[in-house]
C-alpha cells in the first residue's frame, strides 16, 4: 500500500510540488540578481503550470532569447519582489504539508 505522502493526489504531494516550484522561482530570481552585471547575461524566467493528473504544479526554468539591455538593473526590483513572493508561497505550501501530517497523526491516534 503506498504511503499517504507518496500518493499523487494527497495534500502533502500537492504542497511538496508547490514548495519545489517556489524554490525554483527563488533560485531563478537569485541567479538573475547575482548575474545582473555579467556581460551577455540572459535572464531566467520560470514558467509554472498545473499538473493535469493528481494536482500540484510544475515549474520550468527558461532563459531569455537575448541578453539584457544596457541597463541590467531595470528588472532588479521585480526580482526582489519575486524572491519575497517565493518565500510566502513556500511557507504556505509547507503549512499544507504540516496540516496533512497533523491530520494523519490525529487519525492514527484515534485508531490506536
Amino acid at each position: 500500500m503506498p504511503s499517504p505522502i507518496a500518493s499523487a493526489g494527497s495534500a502533502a504531494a500537492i504542497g511538496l510540488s508547490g514548495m519545489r516550484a517556489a524554490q525554483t522561482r527563488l533560485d531563478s530570481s537569485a541567479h538573475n540578481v547575482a548575474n545582473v552585471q555579467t556581460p551577455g547575461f540572459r535572464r531566467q524566467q520560470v514558467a509554472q503550470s498545473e499538473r493535469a493528473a493528481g494536482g500540484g504544479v510544475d515549474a520550468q526554468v527558461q532563459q531569455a532569447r537575448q541578453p539584457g539591455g544596457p541597463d541590467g538593473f531595470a528588472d532588479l526590483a521585480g526580482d526582489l519582489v519575486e524572491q519575497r513572493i517565493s518565500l510566502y508561497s513556500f511557507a504556505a505550501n509547507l503549512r499544507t504539508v504540516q496540516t496533512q501530517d497533523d491530520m494523519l497523526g490525529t487519525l492514527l491516534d484515534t485508531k490506536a
Side-chain angles (χ1 to χ4, degrees):
M1 182 168 122
S3 85
I5 292 280
S7 95
S10 74
I14 293 168
L16 289 171
S17 75
M19 289 168 56
R20 282 188 210 102
Q23 184 65 50
T24 300
R25 295 178 87 81
L26 181 62
D27 291 346
S28 177
S29 178
H31 170 80
N32 289 341
V33 170
N35 292 294
V36 71
Q37 290 187 309
T38 303
F41 168 67
R42 293 188 301 159
R43 297 180 50 75
Q44 289 183 346
Q45 297 173 327
V46 177
Q48 189 169 316
S49 60
E50 65 181 274
R51 289 185 181 159
V57 296
D58 288 315
Q60 291 81 29
V61 176
Q62 302 168 343
Q63 285 200 335
R65 290 192 168 98
Q66 299 176 15
D71 181 15
F73 293 101
D75 296 316
L76 189 58
D79 287 324
L80 297 176
V81 170
E82 182 67 32
Q83 289 177 7
R84 184 56 63 159
I85 291 170
S86 297
L87 172 70
Y88 291 140
S89 178
F90 188 92
N93 283 287
L94 176 60
R95 189 68 186 129
T96 301
V97 173
Q98 290 171 332
T99 299
Q100 179 171 350
D101 185 51
D102 291 344
M103 290 172 54
L104 183 59
T106 301
L107 177 64
L108 292 175
D109 289 344
T110 302
K111 293 289 185 177

